[in-house]
Amino acid sequence: MVQKLDQKLPVANEYLLLSGGVREGVVDMDLDELSVYARGTDYDMDFTLLVPALKLHDRNQPVTLDMRHSALCHSWLSLRLFDEGTINKWKDCCTMVDHINGATNYFFSPTLVADWFYESISVVLVEIQKKPQRGMPRVEKVERNGTIISVILGVGSSRMLYDILPVVSFKGWPAVAQSWLMENHFWDGKITEEEVISGFYLVPACSHKGRKENEWRLSFARSEVQLKKCISASLMQAYQACKAIIIKLLSRPKAISPYHLRSMMLWACDRLPATYLSQEDFSAHFLLGLIDDLQNCLVNKMCPNYFIPQCNMLEHLSDEMAMLHARKLSSVRSDPAEHLRTTIEHAKAANRLTLDLHWRGSASNLPSPQSDAGGEHQPDDRLAKKLQQLVTENPGKSISVFINPDDVTRPHFRIDDKFF
């Protein structure tokens, strides 16, 4: 329906729907401008939808971007790469730069595109509400958060949060990440390189010193979906538990996001033996290791982007902010089981609220999408018990066997790459 308004969007488009909202770290976006939504209170399920405003799918790889004006992992996008019809269609969403030779270069603007996208979605949703049809979802909330449009839809008794991003879609692989392909990775032999490098995006986010009106951020969300298939269930359980803890503990200020944790997990998969990572009963060890990895990143203010390692995602972090978060994580590390139990109780309270709303507001008897029985987004209290056992059996020690690939047999603690 948005495409029909002014025919700006490609007619044949490919949308990527990701499980989990932007706040869950499914894409590398800045969380500072996002409103605070709570599962159970505001929504029951959350998703991220990437909507290509432009597609460049006919180029041979590697794809070379104009990164002269940007920080690493970011780029401006000149419409010179596109035909005259596309330029004319999107001129009003561009900033213009005049060259000495008199030519005008149109740069696709993430903020102007977001303005247009929000207005278009608003028009479409108003029309839907004017003429409701059987089976159409209820529009409960529409809000713009920076360049992200958050829409909460009611379907039966469930409320679904969609974080919608206008993006630029590319086939192939960016030249700046070409060297990453030359390294050995944990997914080698499990999925093909073609599956991993099938495409990438530019998402509407800029670096901390960049120009918001011109700068886009490289996103490898499509590749991350493929890599997730190669991660063991026990490690994913530990990741979900750690993510829940840091969202609760480090949510204000938002210097650390779940995407940082996701990147560290991918690096750990490359670093550690596959036989160790495949252990089914090591979720507690993995959780402790993720916490230690995160703390190490904060102390050193270093968190490399998994696909572009020369890009340090914590480079902008002040010493004071880094130490503040490191101290908070130290409290988690001293009693991880208690923090996990608290996080689980919050999740269960949200689930109970959701179930209560369902019972009161719906006759359809739809099950809760986030029940106490578990699911990918809910940490398991069995993990808390395992953590407690590890801590009890190793008093005064940090059980970071997840950290050191050269020795996964005994507990140790790492400070600046030194093991004790």
Side-chain angles (χ1 to χ4, degrees), residues 65 67 73-75 174 176 201-202 216-220 308:
L65 297 169
M67 307 181 78
C73 288
H74 299 81
S75 177
V176 69
Y201 298 96
L202 295 180
W216 298 78
R217 180 173 297 163
L218 275 75
S219 169
F220 300 90
I308 307 176

Side-chain angles (χ1 to χ4, degrees), residues 173-174 177 200-201 218-225 259 305 307-308:
W173 197 246
F200 67 99
Y201 298 96
L218 275 75
S219 169
F220 300 90
R222 187 185 297 274
S223 302
E224 289 165 353
V225 170
Y259 189 81
N305 182 284
F307 301 93
I308 307 176

Side-chain angles (χ1 to χ4, degrees), residues 226-420:
Q226 299 299 323
L227 297 184
K228 186 178 176 182
K229 300 175 184 177
C230 305
I231 299 175
S232 68
S234 55
L235 179 52
M236 283 304 303
Q237 183 189 31
Y239 166 73
Q240 295 293 348
C242 192
K243 182 175 69 172
I245 291 172
I246 68 167
I247 287 176
K248 178 177 179 294
L249 189 71
L250 308 181
S251 60
R252 299 287 184 180
K254 298 185 179 74
I256 295 294
S257 80
Y259 189 81
H260 294 116
L261 182 65
R262 173 184 289 223
S263 299
M264 285 184 293
M265 178 179 66
L266 293 174
W267 279 119
C269 288
D270 274 356
R271 189 178 70 238
L272 295 167
T275 52
Y276 173 65
L277 292 173
S278 62
Q279 297 290 328
E280 294 183 0
D281 59 346
F282 270 30
S283 292
H285 300 73
F286 297 157
L287 175 55
L288 294 171
L290 286 172
I291 294 172
D292 285 348
D293 267 8
L294 182 56
Q295 193 160 21
N296 185 67
C297 286
L298 285 167
V299 169
N300 292 287
K301 291 199 302 182
M302 175 61 70
C303 183
N305 182 284
Y306 180 65
F307 301 93
I308 307 176
Q310 59 269 38
C311 173
N312 176 15
M313 296 187 292
L314 294 184
E315 186 177 22
H316 65 281
L317 202 60
S318 68
D319 293 341
E320 294 77 14
M321 191 65 66
M323 293 312 299
L324 171 64
H325 285 304
R327 283 194 294 269
K328 288 183 178 180
L329 277 179
S330 293
S331 68
V332 176
R333 197 59 182 78
S334 64
D335 193 356
E338 181 57 33
H339 279 83
L340 185 57
R341 288 194 182 97
T342 302
T343 301
I344 292 170
E345 287 305 314
H346 277 269
K348 287 183 175 181
N351 293 331
R352 286 193 292 270
L353 180 57
T354 295
L355 285 169
D356 185 51
L357 290 171
H358 284 189
W359 279 106
R360 287 186 298 169
S362 173
S364 62
N365 292 325
L366 288 175
S368 166
Q370 295 291 323
S371 67
D372 283 359
E376 182 185 21
H377 293 290
Q378 181 167 318
D380 192 333
D381 58 1
R382 288 174 298 180
L383 181 55
K385 294 176 182 177
K386 179 63 175 176
L387 279 170
Q388 187 63 60
Q389 178 184 345
L390 282 171
V391 172
T392 302
E393 292 175 354
N394 297 273
K397 297 179 181 178
S398 174
I399 313 107
S400 303
V401 293
F402 183 57
I403 294 294
N404 187 357
D406 299 320
D407 180 10
V408 294
T409 62
R410 58 192 174 89
H412 51 257
F413 184 70
R414 182 178 76 176
I415 301 176
D416 293 337
D417 296 324
K418 293 182 180 179
F419 295 85
F420 302 90

Side-chain angles (χ1 to χ4, degrees), residues 136-138 140 153-160 358 361-364 366:
M136 291 291 286
R138 306 180 309 277
E140 300 200 354
L153 301 177
V155 180
S157 59
S158 295
R159 298 154 301 163
M160 295 186 289
H358 284 189
S362 173
S364 62
L366 288 175

Side-chain angles (χ1 to χ4, degrees), residues 137-177:
R138 306 180 309 277
V139 180
E140 300 200 354
K141 190 170 189 177
V142 183
E143 185 176 37
R144 179 173 175 182
N145 296 284
T147 55
I148 302 167
I149 294 90
S150 297
V151 179
I152 297 179
L153 301 177
V155 180
S157 59
S158 295
R159 298 154 301 163
M160 295 186 289
L161 167 63
Y162 289 90
D163 288 325
I164 309 174
L165 279 73
V167 301
V168 182
S169 176
F170 292 84
K171 288 292 186 186
W173 197 246
V176 69

